[in-house]
Amino acid sequence: MRSMVWAAGAVSATTIGLVIAAGLAGDGGEGAGPARPATATGTLEQLAARAECAPDVQTDAAELRRANCRNGDGRFVLATFATDRGEREWLNQAKDYGGSYLVGRKWVAVGEPGVLRALRGHLGGTVERSSHHTPAG
């Protein structure tokens, strides 16, 4: 009986911890605000349409498509990737330069934090930040 009570307590503590963690991570640190849409998926053009911009395509390759965009909230770069791995490798390299990134599955938007907050209302996604790191030498 005692182990059953402990197990129930552990489940409750775990559940509470998960709820708290989800609440802290769910808004990307942006604070309380309107509910975010489900993370968008689609082609570069479909994502740009949801973001209310006409994409100016700069790179059009099988593994990466990249466009400059502008909407009522500001300017940003939108990139789509053929694979999840390609996206993660691109992000890992880009973060060496610092900045803010709005990340979805197989897409990334790069821009000023305020623009990305607004863009998140159209595309969903997760905000990732990186500060510039210089190699020690």
Side-chain angles (χ1 to χ4, degrees), residues 80-95:
T80 57
F81 303 87
T83 65
D84 293 321
R85 181 178 176 182
E87 174 187 26
R88 185 47 50 193
E89 288 174 354
W90 185 93
L91 269 169
N92 289 343
Q93 289 179 351
K95 285 184 175 182

Side-chain angles (χ1 to χ4, degrees), residues 59-102:
T59 304
D60 193 2
E63 64 279 349
L64 167 72
R65 296 189 71 219
R66 182 179 61 86
N68 293 329
C69 286
R70 178 188 295 266
N71 65 15
D73 300 307
R75 293 172 25 170
F76 57 96
V77 174
L78 186 59
T80 57
F81 303 87
T83 65
D84 293 321
R85 181 178 176 182
E87 174 187 26
R88 185 47 50 193
E89 288 174 354
W90 185 93
L91 269 169
N92 289 343
Q93 289 179 351
K95 285 184 175 182
D96 287 343
Y97 300 96
S100 296
Y101 307 87
L102 180 61

Side-chain angles (χ1 to χ4, degrees), residues 14-27:
T14 301
T15 303
I16 290 169
L18 290 173
V19 168
I20 290 170
L24 293 175
D27 67 2

Side-chain angles (χ1 to χ4, degrees), residues 1-15:
M1 181 72 168
R2 185 177 199 171
S3 62
M4 288 177 57
V5 170
W6 179 87
V11 169
S12 297
T14 301
T15 303

Side-chain angles (χ1 to χ4, degrees), residues 26-59:
D27 67 2
E30 302 302 325
R36 301 289 180 217
T39 301
T41 59
T43 66
L44 181 71
E45 289 78 11
Q46 290 167 334
L47 294 167
R50 283 187 68 163
E52 300 176 352
C53 85
D56 178 12
V57 177
Q58 301 296 307
T59 304

Side-chain angles (χ1 to χ4, degrees), residues 108-119:
V108 174
V110 183
E112 295 297 321
V115 173
L116 296 183
R117 275 192 300 274
L119 189 57

